[in-house]
Amino acid sequence: MAAHIRRRLRKGATTTAVAAAAVAALAASQAPAATLAEGPAGGGDPKAAGEDTASTEDDGAATGNSPYYTDLPPLVTPDKPGSSSNLPVTGSAEAGIPASILAAYKQAEQTVATTDPTCRLPWQLLAAIGKVESGQARGGRVDANGTASPPILGPALNGQGFALIKDTDGGAYDSDAVHDRAVGPMQFIPSTWASWGQDANGDGRKDPNNIYDAALAAGRYLCANDRDLAIAADLDKAVLSYNRSTEYLRTVRSWFSYYQRGTHEIPDGTGTLPTTPSIPSGPTPNPGTPSPGTAPSPKPSPDKPGGKPTPGPSKPGDGSTSPTPKPPTSKPTPAETFGSLENAGTGPLRATAGQAFDERVAVLARNALGAPLGKVSVTFTVTGNTGTLFAGGKKTVTVRTGADGTATAPELRAGEKAGEFTVTAVAGTGRPRTLTYAATVTARQADTIARTDEKALVAAPGEKFADAVTVKATYKDAAAAGVAVTATMVKDPLGLFDNDKGPYFKDAAGKPVRTLTTLTTDAEGMLRLPEIFADGTEGTYLLRLTTEGGASVVIELTIQAPEETAPEGTTPEETAPKETDTPEA
């Protein structure tokens, strides 16, 4: 009986300690905010907590290694792989995601896919991090604009079981002017939000407590350093950059897999809040203490057996302390990091052979925050066999973006061969961003073609036409040089029926042909047709000439025998046959 009473007393003391810690956290925040974990749930330095760690590309972490929920997904997972976006609004609250929260994750995925498509950010990863960080904004407790109500604040990062991060924002985001706290549904510390914060809902504010702003910021943060989240190693690095703990990585990975198998939308405010916080770093509970909610006692550093307790994580510039300080790094800030390459409004690329393109290829470079980025080298390359080149006769040119983030390639000059080609724009190293533009060269055109004289064209049967046929093609009243012309002997003015009798041309072998397709106007738009011959069939025939662009002209050709004429100085009567007298019998 006495043992039973002692167990009840210990349990009551633990509960009291948890409640006291929650009240202290709220009082320190000096704002009507809901703390992430009602008790000294930790994160902090994973080494100090005695857990495995993994190095990342960044020395810091988005959350400052704040506490997170370690609850794992249910054992019974959804059974509709690949259909997570189409499942009905049914099922347990644990498997569901509140409507506004789910909409924010999907909007962030779509936005990042536009600005940084090579990152391949899946919304399910944002959902997994949101679940672990804040229980999907405390079960979807957000207002109509998607802002957490009340605000979500983590415990003060004061080095007491957590990292030591002194105030960086004057309490602007976390209402704490002494120490920083992780803020909002995605639990950004103020110093990280200052670099990565977004305005995704268009209200003019970058609010870490707004799920739309926070989800987009998390998406851009995860995609930093040219990561491709479809690659497992890059995805792991991204998650570890959020919280440098392999336990954290395993927990996020489990929810990521769970949401990939399927989930559904539930009403805001009805989600299930996780209950198990991560264990605080640094000091550990006294032996025999049954709960992480009790007051912690010092624990020797795992690096120095028997030594003093190790404080929170060592991260340059975050206010923490370390027995072995690291020198400051020279890594570029998000504002200096190349993030994406976009079309800067280039219109259709079409030009007539030999002419300049009206449009010039232009691109826009953005940094990791989505803002325009200057001084990015962009290489433009022409690929194809139309003969098209940039001004100056080059197939490849490199241009740097200006202060507005745009780079414009030199003017394109179309080659003489009609057809399609491409222009590619490439920027960035390691995992470069590429844009491809389709372009077309059309044949030279004429809108008018006409004979240069009106002389009748006549030939005797079996002879050739003495006068040559000469025409001129124009386009918008200017000489149309290099225009292809087709000449065909036809039976009707529209050229619907070809003619197999009457006038003809000769091919290279001297054989009769009645269609020519290799004719081209000269630099003055002029074309002199080859010799035309007449067969033995008299009559009036038609020759039709057509050009690229639809211009045409029909010319009459006549085959007729010449009229007999009287010798000079005689009359027709004198040359007519006379009757002869026959001798008398």
Side-chain angles (χ1 to χ4, degrees):
M1 181 67 176
H4 178 66
I5 293 173
R6 282 196 297 274
R7 285 195 296 272
R8 292 182 60 188
L9 288 173
R10 283 200 298 271
K11 183 176 181 181
T14 299
T15 303
T16 302
V18 172
V23 171
L26 282 169
S29 71
Q30 299 188 10
T35 55
L36 176 63
E38 285 91 358
D45 188 354
K47 289 183 179 180
E51 61 184 61
D52 295 332
T53 60
S55 63
T56 68
E57 306 162 42
D58 304 311
D59 290 320
T63 66
N65 295 321
S66 296
Y68 58 91
Y69 291 111
T70 60
D71 297 41
L72 296 176
L75 294 177
V76 179
T77 60
D79 58 359
K80 295 186 178 181
S83 63
S84 59
S85 62
N86 299 315
L87 291 180
V89 187
T90 60
S92 68
E94 184 69 22
I97 298 177
S100 293
I101 314 304
L102 182 59
Y105 296 150
K106 291 184 176 181
Q107 176 178 299
E109 177 192 63
Q110 294 171 356
T111 300
V112 172
T114 300
T115 60
D116 189 4
T118 55
C119 174
R120 296 190 281 183
L121 169 73
W123 67 259
Q124 292 91 339
L125 180 59
L126 295 175
I129 291 175
K131 181 71 172 180
V132 170
E133 290 294 345
S134 68
Q136 309 298 20
R138 299 187 62 82
R141 289 168 176 80
V142 296
D143 62 20
N145 296 318
T147 302
S149 180
I152 301 174
L153 298 177
L157 299 177
N158 55 13
Q160 302 300 313
F162 313 116
L164 173 59
I165 304 181
K166 296 180 181 179
D167 176 64
T168 61
D169 66 329
Y173 293 119
D174 57 10
S175 301
D176 190 336
V178 179
H179 298 98
D180 272 349
R181 300 167 179 261
V183 183
M186 305 305 282
Q187 287 291 278
F188 280 96
I189 56 174
S191 57
T192 305
W193 184 259
S195 297
W196 292 91
Q198 303 288 309
D199 176 19
N201 64 351
D203 65 356
R205 299 178 60 232
K206 297 178 180 179
D207 183 359
N209 267 296
N210 181 275
I211 185 58
Y212 292 96
D213 294 356
L216 181 57
R220 295 200 189 283
Y221 182 90
L222 293 167
C223 289
N225 299 310
D226 290 337
R227 297 188 188 107
D228 180 352
L229 300 183
I231 299 174
D234 277 9
L235 187 143
D236 288 349
K237 289 179 181 179
V239 175
L240 287 168
S241 76
Y242 222 83
N243 190 310
R244 299 182 62 185
S245 162
T246 50
E247 179 188 352
Y248 179 85
L249 173 61
R250 287 192 294 268
T251 305
V252 170
R253 273 282 196 178
S254 66
W255 281 104
F256 177 49
S257 177
Y258 181 78
Y259 288 136
Q260 280 185 313
R261 287 184 57 82
T263 185
H264 58 273
E265 179 185 299
I266 59 176
D268 288 346
T270 63
T272 300
L273 187 65
T275 58
T276 308
S278 56
I279 303 299
S281 63
T284 58
N286 291 318
T289 301
S291 167
T294 58
S297 62
K299 175 183 178 180
S301 166
D303 298 327
K304 298 179 180 180
K308 296 181 180 180
T310 302
S314 172
K315 301 196 289 289
D318 66 0
S320 63
T321 60
S322 171
T324 55
K326 294 182 180 179
T329 64
S330 58
K331 291 184 178 180
T333 66
E336 300 170 328
T337 303
F338 175 53
S340 62
L341 193 67
E342 305 173 14
N343 183 0
T346 305
L349 296 171
R350 297 179 63 88
T352 301
Q355 303 299 311
F357 282 75
D358 292 334
E359 285 283 330
R360 293 171 63 182
V361 179
V363 298
L364 169 64
R366 294 186 183 275
N367 62 21
L369 300 176
L373 181 63
K375 299 183 179 179
V376 175
S377 292
V378 183
T379 299
F380 299 92
T381 303
V382 174
T383 303
N385 60 358
T386 64
T388 300
L389 298 170
F390 290 112
K394 297 180 179 180
K395 295 191 71 172
T396 299
V397 294
T398 299
V399 181
R400 299 187 75 182
T401 60
D404 62 353
T406 62
T408 303
E411 181 183 66
L412 283 167
R413 298 283 307 185
E416 290 299 331
K417 184 177 180 180
E420 296 182 349
F421 68 97
T422 60
V423 179
T424 57
V426 181
T429 58
R431 189 163 58 87
R433 311 306 200 265
T434 301
L435 289 178
T436 301
Y437 298 82
T440 302
V441 175
T442 58
R444 295 174 184 263
Q445 298 182 355
D447 52 20
T448 302
I449 185 170
R451 285 190 66 189
T452 58
D453 61 63
E454 298 181 355
K455 192 173 182 179
L457 299 169
V458 180
E463 300 295 331
K464 70 178 180 181
F465 287 80
D467 297 309
V469 177
T470 303
V471 294
K472 181 175 183 179
T474 58
Y475 182 70
K476 295 182 178 179
D477 297 328
V483 174
V485 179
T486 298
T488 305
M489 301 299 175
V490 295
K491 293 182 177 180
D492 61 294
L494 296 179
L496 300 177
F497 303 97
D498 292 351
N499 206 335
D500 57 358
K501 295 180 180 180
Y504 62 89
F505 303 102
K506 288 185 178 180
D507 63 14
K511 296 182 178 180
V513 292
R514 288 183 166 84
T515 297
L516 295 178
T517 59
T518 58
L519 307 174
T520 306
T521 60
D522 63 16
E524 301 299 326
M526 304 292 288
L527 171 63
R528 181 186 176 94
L529 270 62
E531 291 181 321
I532 303 174
F533 299 86
D535 67 6
T537 308
E538 295 188 39
T540 298
Y541 298 90
L542 301 178
L543 168 62
R544 190 171 193 265
L545 304 179
T546 58
T547 72
E548 288 288 344
S552 66
V553 62
V554 176
I555 301 170
E556 286 191 355
L557 300 170
T558 302
I559 300 176
Q560 70 178 27
E563 296 181 357
E564 294 184 3
T565 59
E568 187 174 350
T570 63
T571 64
E573 290 78 7
E574 293 175 331
T575 59
K578 295 182 178 180
E579 294 183 1
T580 58
D581 296 333
T582 57
E584 295 182 357

